[in-house]
Each structure stands twice: as C-alpha cells, then as structure tokens.
C-alpha cells in the first residue's frame, strides 16, 4: 500500500532541515521505501510504500513518527495534531 505525503505536511509534524531528496534517501535506507519524489505546485510529494506489517505508519502522523525515529528526533518534537489544527484554523 502506498501513501502520498506532501513535504509541507511532513514538516508540520517533524522538524527537519533536510532537503526532500536527502530526506527520502535517509528514510529509504532505514525504513519505508520512497518509490518516488515528485514536485507539484511548489511542493514535493513522497510516494511511500508502507508494508502490510506496519499499519501504524499508514497515516501522516504515523509516517511522521517513523521519520522522527529515523532522524533521531525526540518524539515530543513532533507537533500535537490539535495544536496544528488550531494553528491552521481547521479546529
């Protein structure tokens, strides 16, 4: 199963300064496979293959947790989803 993840959304949950290409390379070496990196309308989209034994990673938040683990970020550096919704005015 594949998940399409916009780089801009991933950065809302996971603080990183890596370029999309470097981030994709690191993720692919350590965890989920990035099938492609595509630029669309000024954003970068990752096409991420999520294996069936990792249903926890089949959401934006789950994938962001995986990225944080790969990049060795503390988990509390990932933004709370409710705080993000308030920030964006969707809650």
């Amino acid at each position: 199963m594949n998940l399409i993840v916009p780089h801009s959304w991933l950065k809302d949950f996971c603080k990183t300064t890596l370029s999309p290409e470097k981030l994709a390379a690191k993720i692919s070496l350590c965890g989920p496979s990035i099938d492609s990196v595509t630029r669309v309308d000024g954003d970068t989209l990752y096409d991420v293959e999520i294996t069936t034994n990792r249903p926890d990673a089949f959401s934006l938040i789950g994938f962001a947790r995986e990225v944080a683990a790969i990049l060795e970020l503390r988990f509390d550096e990932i933004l709370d989803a409710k705080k993000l919704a308030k920030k964006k005015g969707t809650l």
Side-chain angles (χ1 to χ4, degrees):
M1 299 174 89
N2 283 26
L3 177 68
I4 303 297
V5 179
H7 184 73
S8 59
W9 288 12
L10 183 61
K11 287 187 65 136
D12 282 339
F13 290 93
C14 187
K15 305 272 187 196
T16 179
T17 57
L18 291 173
S19 71
E21 292 76 17
K22 287 183 181 181
L23 183 62
K26 272 193 171 241
I27 294 168
S28 288
L29 286 174
C30 300
S33 174
I34 306 294
D35 289 343
S36 67
V37 177
T38 309
R39 294 196 188 278
V40 176
D41 295 331
D43 200 358
T44 301
L45 302 178
Y46 302 100
D47 184 0
V48 185
E49 182 182 354
I50 307 293
T51 58
T52 56
N53 68 329
R54 290 298 311 271
D56 59 307
F58 200 70
S59 69
L60 178 59
I61 293 172
F63 181 68
R65 285 183 185 137
E66 183 74 10
V67 171
I70 290 168
L71 297 178
E72 299 179 348
L73 297 174
R74 289 179 29 185
F75 183 71
D76 62 5
E77 290 184 42
I78 296 176
L79 296 175
D80 179 274
K82 286 185 180 179
K83 288 180 188 174
L84 180 64
K86 286 180 183 177
K87 176 180 155 186
K88 292 193 178 260
T90 58
L91 184 67

